[in-house]
Amino acid sequence: MKRTFNISKTAEELVPDKLSRASYWGAIGMVVVMIGGIILVWGKLPNVVPLWFAEPWGEARLANKLWLWLIPATGLGTVGVNVLLAKVTGKMALIIPRVLAVAAGVVSLTLLLGLYGVIQSLFI
């Protein structure tokens, strides 16, 4: 018997709910947009970029441009952790997997907007 990998079937098995699956795909799509955005502007970026917005104004906010990869990695990590948590808690309550899926989408959207703000602040 020949076994082949089917991403659609795997996604349906991992996340059976359509809303949750759409949220996760949206979150992954935003991560792909983040990665594409970083790649597009990479050569134009200075060596340091404003990244640590919780720090006081000045040099404390700056980080090496390699740290920009932390933004899409955080989005991808959130999706992964939420899928695992949803799989574990899905038997306990049906609402938890949906909340985790929507949360992954919201986190990715927030990260995308943050990355846009960082890149935009450098080119204005």
Side-chain angles (χ1 to χ4, degrees):
M1 178 165 79
K2 184 177 176 183
R3 297 186 69 137
T4 59
F5 179 73
N6 184 337
I7 188 76
S8 298
K9 187 175 179 183
T10 304
E12 287 176 20
E13 289 174 7
L14 196 58
V15 185
D17 181 44
K18 283 186 176 186
L19 172 67
S20 298
R21 205 167 39 250
S23 294
Y24 285 128
W25 280 118
I28 291 169
M30 286 184 260
V31 168
V32 169
V33 169
M34 288 183 243
I35 291 169
I38 293 172
I39 290 170
L40 275 174
V41 299
W42 187 259
K44 299 175 188 172
L45 291 174
N47 288 333
V48 292
V49 294
L51 188 64
W52 312 117
F53 295 115
E55 295 296 325
W57 193 260
E59 285 190 37
R61 285 187 171 209
L62 300 177
N64 188 306
K65 68 181 181 179
L66 286 172
W67 280 94
L68 281 179
W69 294 107
L70 181 66
I71 297 172
T74 301
L76 214 52
T78 302
V79 169
V81 168
N82 285 7
V83 166
L84 290 174
L85 286 174
K87 200 66 177 160
V88 169
T89 61
K91 304 265 191 266
M92 292 182 240
L94 296 176
I95 191 71
I96 294 173
R98 282 189 176 181
V99 170
L100 289 168
V102 171
V106 170
V107 166
S108 288
L109 178 62
T110 304
L111 291 168
L112 180 64
L113 292 173
L115 179 62
Y116 174 75
V118 168
I119 292 172
Q120 179 232 355
S121 72
L122 294 169
F123 295 108
I124 289 185

